[in-house]
Amino acid sequence: KISEKEKPTGRGRKDDDEPDEASGNVSTEEQRPGGDLPSADWNGLNDQTDDAHLYLNKFDSYFRMLDLLEEKHGCQVIKFPLRKLPAIGKCKMHILKTDGLPRCMSVARVTIGASSYYLLEVDTSDASKALSTKVIFVNAIGDIEPHLFEMEKQLLRSSLSWPKEHFDKLVGDGNHTWIPHQKSDRDGALLSKDTEKWAQRIQLKLR
């Protein structure tokens, strides 16, 4: 299970209270899973065409970390198709500042022991801001796919921050948390040793 160390957080606030630069330290605001499931819906256009695989290179380090969870830490990992964030109103956060390509989100289901979690990772390679990996307890939401579009819209409406109030209503405030990225000495892909540390830290937090 996720670490039981908790720090109270304000209701209705964004869920990415982290430094501007991604830290290698473990967050003190991680919450323990366990709760119920409401639902949410909001109409809108979602352009999920089948060329999202073209942007996989943006997630090299993250996907390598997921591979290491399977190879070295006894986890089962199911990777969902990569998703391009939707265009919502006049918001431009769904586009990478560096090259104008779509900003993508990865969804993966990670099982360790008797517990399963969804991991959500957003491409912030353009250094728009630091955004931790989102973790959701599978038992609190079941099939995540019907809820992904709403999550993406709320993420963009929150200026590329995980919308804590939305997740509290959706799965309960004890059933979601976030884990900061592994610290890197350079932009872009992590060194192999850093990616290995990232995988080890993730599996320790999910136990």
Side-chain angles (χ1 to χ4, degrees), residues 58-59 62 83 85 93 96 103-107 119-125 129 131-134 152 155-156 160 162 181:
K58 302 295 183 181
F59 292 95
Y62 177 73
R83 297 175 59 89
L85 294 186
M93 299 295 286
L96 292 169
R103 188 184 305 278
C104 294
M105 183 173 77
S106 164
V107 182
L119 270 57
L120 308 182
E121 177 73 11
V122 175
D123 182 0
T124 55
S125 59
K129 67 184 305 179
L131 186 65
S132 296
T133 303
K134 190 66 187 173
E152 292 165 345
L155 172 74
L156 292 169
L160 214 61
W162 293 121
H181 290 168

Side-chain angles (χ1 to χ4, degrees), residues 54-100:
L54 297 175
Y55 313 108
L56 277 172
N57 62 309
K58 302 295 183 181
F59 292 95
D60 280 349
S61 296
Y62 177 73
F63 275 85
R64 177 56 185 155
M65 184 276 292
L66 292 180
D67 290 340
L68 289 173
L69 287 179
E70 285 193 299
E71 295 169 8
K72 295 189 175 182
H73 299 289
C75 300
Q76 295 179 340
V77 179
I78 298 174
K79 300 170 187 174
F80 290 58
L82 200 62
R83 297 175 59 89
K84 293 185 293 183
L85 294 186
I88 302 297
K90 297 181 179 180
C91 176
K92 300 299 183 183
M93 299 295 286
H94 67 295
I95 298 296
L96 292 169
K97 295 179 179 179
T98 49
D99 51 22

